Amino acid sequence: MAVIAVEKRKKPSVWTGEIVKRALIDSLVKLDPRTLYKNPIILIVELGALLTTVLYVRDLANGKSFELGRFELQIALWLWFTVLFANFAEAIAEGRGKAQADTLRKTRTETLARRVKSDGTIEEIPGGQLRKGDICVVESGQLMPGDGDVIQGVAYVNEAAITGESAPVLKEPGTDIRSSVTGGTTVVSDHLRIRITANPGETFLDRMIALVEGAARQKTPNEIALNILLAGMTFIFLIVTVTLQPFANYSGQLISIVILVALLVCLIPTTIGGLLSAIGIAGMDRLVQRNVLAMSGRAVEAAGDIDTLLLDKTGTITFGNRLAAEFIPVNGAGMPRLVAAAVRASLLDETPEGKSVLDLARVQGFTSIVDSTNLGDAQFTPFAAETRMSGVHINGLGTFKGAVDAVLAASGGNAPDGLTEQSERISGEGGTPLAVMEGRDVLGLIYLKDTIKPGIRERFAEMRRMGIRTVMITGDNPLTAATIAREAGVDDYLAQAKPEDKMRLIREEQALGRLVAMTGDGTNDAPALAQADVGVAMNTGTQAAKEAGNMVDLDSDPTKLIEIVGIGKQLLMTRGALTTFSIANDVAKYFAILPAAFAVTYPQLDALNVMKLASPESAILSAIIFNALIIIALVPLALRGIAYRPIGAGPLLARNALIYGLGGIIVPFVGIKFIDIIVNGIRLA
Amino acid sequence: MTPQDIGYLAFYVIVLVALAKPLGLYMTAVYEGRRTWLHPVMGPVERGIYRVSGIRADSEQDWKRYTLAILAFSLAGLGLLYAILRLQGYLPLNPEGLEGLKPSLAFNTSVSFITNTNWQAYGGETTLSYFSQMVGLTFQNFVSAAAGMAVLVALIRGLARHSANTVGNFWVDLTRSVLYILLPLSLVVAVFLISQGVIQNFSSYKEVTTLEGTKQLFALGPAASQIAIKQLGTNGGGFFNVNSAHPFENPTAWSNLVEMLAILLIPAGLVYMYGKMVGSTRHGWVVLGVMTAFLIVGAVVSNVAEQSGNPSVEDLGITSSAGSGQPGGNMEGKETRFGIGQSTLWATTTTLASNGSVNSMHDSYTPIGGLVPLANIQTSEIIFGGVGSGMYGMALYILLAVFVAGLMVGRTPEYLGKKIEAREIKAAMVALLSFSLVLLGFAAIGSVNAFGTDTLNNGGPHGFSEILYAFSSGAGNNGSAFAGLGANTTFYNLGIGICMLVGRFLFIVPVMVIAGTMVQKKRVAPGPGTFPTDGLLFGGLLAGVIVVVGLLTFFPALSLGPIVEHLAMRDGTLF
């Protein structure tokens, strides 16, 4: 029985020997025109390479000396390199995913299932033979044979194989979220009886393998539109190049086919053509590295377009527990006495509220009280629905904290001065007041607050600059919701929300043409997850939720939506920037090739040779070499994606237009000149 | 540039931009069906037309029916005009007894006028009767211009409306364009031109004894009315063969100024209207700003090139600098009454707009002076451009600019709150692609075949420029002639005819497809994350895309024509 290494999954670099080696081999395999036809731009380069190679061989056969044919040979070689570089870009982008898929696949094949037969006996069958509805038993140390629901038993399960998180999680039946288990994870304590919920080939692991491997990758809407633009431009350049021959003929001399092919390859957008699919694959891969599985590239792209983000308050914006934020003494009790009583009432309290009281005492400088309190033979009374209080009896003296009315009733007295006002104030601000009682004296209040996660406010400000509206969803009453919304800095909120309200909100936003993203984990989130343009299901969530969403976050971190949006934007930006760069590059190439092509007919055109390239041959060769090398040079950028800064569309555009537009015009002038110096230095031309 | 020329250019630009807004507002009212001050006069006429022709003004068409209506209307116009030209000899108002046109010329001419090109392979006064000019050509001058405006209005509705289906009613837009915009403006301009001495009569040609005692035959006719619409409707087809260089067409400095303003007046107004109707006046101003920048650069470059003249002339000991006694520079092919300033400005405006009327001979310009009009046309007539067609062509470039640059802000590109998707990009690429295909394709055929080169007046790169210019003028629906090329041959008549058809309808259909897809889309209000289309940055990007697309497509051809000719001229080699 295989046991999966319990370790946080590493984020492997793509530049490891194994992945690079595989990518190099793949670049050769991808030369097959049957694969390459999907990328018409690079296919044209390959045809050009083939044509120049044939011409070179023909010339050699006709007795042309090696010395004279040297130029043709070099052009042909560099054209082949251009194709190989483009193939390599795609292969390396796929590399990491393929390596991960291999690891996951091992998990799948080695699993044995212990199926419970109808007569109650257990048989061992390969995991691949399980069908929906089968019942299995999984013991401690065994692999989960498939996706399923726990129907019996309580156990800890290590999900590192899927999530990379080594801390085991508790699984038990009947709870919406904790009852779902995933094939490939390991039971590390006790045993579970599960009902299989997915047929082989449809399991989460299968989907995950297909996704990280990129087998299910389809072109996204923007990619399709961009491809049309690039194909159109390629066709225009084909017209330009083909008509140049008659124009040259009119002018007195034909241009050699090799030069025409070189010109065509330089003009068509090979840079973006070679990198386009790598950018898309790398975008998906970046998500996988952050433990998010996107079910389609379309979802990643949609993430960049999100206008409205629906966020559950609990767990996303706040910690989900109400934490002590303030001690308010009343009736002249004095702060030290109140704190001491509150600490005593909370020392044995394991709830987050109880712990937060101690934390607050420390923060407010009463550390000594917390550390010196001696409980002796204290008897702890935990919180109960009837009493609505918790606390201790030490030597007959009871110290309690609890709901204000419950504490007042227990004290038997009237509310001390200020208590009612203060507790109303706290409720008004959306908080919860806890009264503290020592004996029969009510000493004051603890202000329990729904505490906003640190840094969340800044992230929302960031979203606002990105142009994204954040809406908080909560079951709280409007007053509480408003307070938290204001503190967290969300743009809007939906209070007392029921699951169907979420759905309605999404529909309303979408009717206005907005794209909506949300996270969810429960079965009742499923319809909304399906309706949202980007629905991120938590991995801890139910099967229904995971199937409804178009992304699954293996870390089950709802704030990750914000990163997902960033990755989506980065993907689109990288495409746009490299397209701009690619097209802007052409200007310099004209200045290199045109004077060279017409050097004999119109020597005057040497005035256009602004780079002062040494000879016509070296000019054309340098342009072709630049054109090939720039693909390789940009592979890291394509894989990494260009930096996204939430500075608003205007400044962002100005920045990128300057770098990739203007830069795209200037860089090749410098690059081609530099290559020309080298080409002449080592006498290639 | 002389100080006078700088002042003249500045004055021209200021007047033009100042007129754009009021005219744009008026046209907005017309197309939105609001009441204007002309309604008391034109309202009954409009309703009469609808009643007679059975048009239901309140029923709108979707993009397909709208497009079919345009195509059917254009085809019918083509057939009618072809018939008039072929049967000219049998028709009235033909005092000179001119005969019908041969088939290829009749095809070329009728295509030329229904496409709002007004390429003239014929000489007006020696080929066409008054009937052909007025009923055939002038009618098309109005309706082809109006059809272009209708397409623009349909596109605007496609962009401005959302989650809708219809883009307006072609017949209504067509009628309103003629009745409320083209006719009244033409009337004003025609009356002004008559006041300046432009002729308007139905006389037969007059033989006059000149001061030198020789006899000269003066061609006459109803010129003023046709000139007004040829300028306003970016038609450009002159009443006389030499167009607005003819004293009967353009007698005074004032007539010259008004005719020149009339070239860009409606296109500029339409840009303002576009911004207004799509809901972003600022966007309209930015686009108009980009166009104006191209206008100024073009006018300055061609002016400087002409003023610098030809070094070979200087080598002969002739000063070509401007002085008190002489204009200096290259005056060949220019009217002395207009000089270099008003000639080069006209050349720039007429080629930026797809007008094509001339007041000087572009063929005689210096290479760079001739490059400006050629390059202007090769931007596919979107900078001001033809009435309607200029702005809708520009919209395609805007879509491309927004698409490429828009990706760089990390969102699916949006224009005016609507996503740009594969279908719009496909449509825009079809237009750009077919434009360069026919232009470069026919120029390639023409440059390597005897039927193309036989009728050239010049050899070398200048001859090549002549061929290139002819097909550019056709594909761009400009209609101006570089001249120096005998274009009335079967090859040129058919080739340029096809260029004109492609340049017109393979823009109209894609634009209507875009109108049809955009009208159905939802519209999202712009936020801080959306691509801004109303600032300087966008203006710069748009200009960049226009330059780069034009440069990349035509730089090789241009470098074998005017550019090499210019470089050779510096060395003293002329063609």
Side-chain angles (χ1 to χ4, degrees), chain A residues 167-420:
Chain A
V169 289
L170 187 72
K171 296 289 176 186
E172 57 187 348
T175 51
D176 194 24
I177 285 171
R178 284 208 293 269
S179 66
S180 93
V181 292
T182 313
T185 56
T186 316
V187 178
V188 291
S189 76
D190 308 295
H191 70 274
L192 291 173
R193 191 172 275 244
I194 62 169
R195 180 185 290 115
I196 296 297
T197 52
N199 286 328
E202 300 161 7
T203 65
F204 189 68
L205 196 63
D206 290 315
R207 278 198 290 166
M208 192 165 162
I209 290 170
L211 284 169
V212 295
E213 198 171 38
R217 205 180 97 81
Q218 283 175 328
K219 285 197 175 123
T220 58
N222 272 310
E223 206 176 346
I224 292 169
L226 189 53
N227 264 314
I228 291 170
L229 177 84
L230 296 177
M233 298 209 59
T234 304
F235 198 47
I236 289 180
F237 288 128
L238 201 61
I239 296 168
V240 170
T241 319
V242 169
T243 54
L244 197 55
Q245 190 70 308
F247 295 167
N249 185 21
Y250 170 94
S251 310
Q253 197 191 11
L254 290 175
I255 311 170
S256 86
I257 300 293
V258 175
I259 294 181
L260 278 180
V261 170
L263 177 65
L264 176 66
V265 170
C266 277
L267 292 181
I268 61 177
T270 48
T271 314
I272 182 67
L275 295 173
L276 193 56
S277 68
I279 294 169
I281 296 166
M284 297 278 276
D285 189 51
R286 272 198 296 282
L287 279 178
V288 172
Q289 298 318 310
R290 281 174 180 75
N291 264 350
V292 176
L293 292 184
M295 301 301 159
S296 70
R298 187 183 284 259
V300 187
E301 214 165 65
D305 287 345
I306 289 304
D307 299 288
T308 308
L309 208 52
L310 302 190
L311 297 158
D312 279 323
K313 185 203 76 178
T314 311
T316 309
I317 296 173
T318 65
F319 284 107
N321 299 307
R322 310 205 136 209
L323 305 178
E326 198 182 342
F327 294 114
I328 306 161
V330 293
N331 204 17
M335 186 63 91
R337 191 174 164 208
L338 171 66
V339 174
V343 166
R344 263 203 309 287
S346 305
L347 264 173
L348 293 174
D349 187 353
E350 287 294 316
T351 64
E353 288 87 350
K355 285 182 180 151
S356 74
V357 170
L358 304 183
D359 290 341
L360 181 67
R362 286 200 181 90
V363 169
Q364 300 214 333
F366 298 102
T367 313
S368 55
I369 296 184
V370 178
D371 294 340
S372 64
T373 305
N374 184 2
L375 290 175
D377 58 345
Q379 202 185 345
F380 180 69
T381 314
F383 183 88
E386 303 82 60
T387 59
R388 292 193 291 149
M389 297 194 298
S390 68
V392 287
H393 276 99
I394 306 171
N395 306 327
L397 178 68
T399 312
F400 285 85
K401 64 176 194 296
V404 177
D405 50 346
V407 170
L408 277 181
S411 74
N414 292 327
D417 282 352
L419 188 87
T420 316

Side-chain angles (χ1 to χ4, degrees), chain A residues 222 229 232 235 240 246-247 249-250 304-305 307 464 466 510 513 569 572-573 580 586 590 594 602 604 649 653 656, chain B residues 400 404-405 407-408 410-412 429 433 444 447-448 460 463-464 522-524 528-531 552-553 555-556 564 567:
Chain A
N222 272 310
L229 177 84
F235 198 47
V240 170
F247 295 167
N249 185 21
Y250 170 94
D305 287 345
D307 299 288
R464 200 165 304 116
M466 289 159 105
Q510 285 173 337
K569 288 195 176 293
L572 294 176
M573 277 170 49
T580 309
D586 280 1
Y590 267 141
L594 278 182
Y602 290 132
Q604 299 95 334
L653 180 63
N656 288 332
Chain B
L400 290 181
V404 174
L407 281 174
M408 285 198 292
R411 276 177 75 90
T412 296
M429 287 317 287
L433 206 107
S447 57
V448 284
F464 178 67
K522 291 172 187 161
R523 186 172 188 170
V524 197
T530 43
F531 180 91
L552 292 183
T553 315
F555 189 67
V564 77
L567 295 169

Side-chain angles (χ1 to χ4, degrees), chain B residues 279-317:
Chain B
S280 172
T281 325
R282 276 174 58 101
H283 176 56
W285 280 120
V286 169
V287 175
L288 191 58
V290 170
M291 292 178 171
T292 310
F294 276 101
L295 166 65
I296 293 172
V297 170
V300 169
V301 169
S302 76
N303 188 299
V304 169
E306 291 310 295
Q307 195 66 60
S308 309
N310 184 335
S312 298
V313 176
E314 294 240 0
D315 291 346
L316 298 172

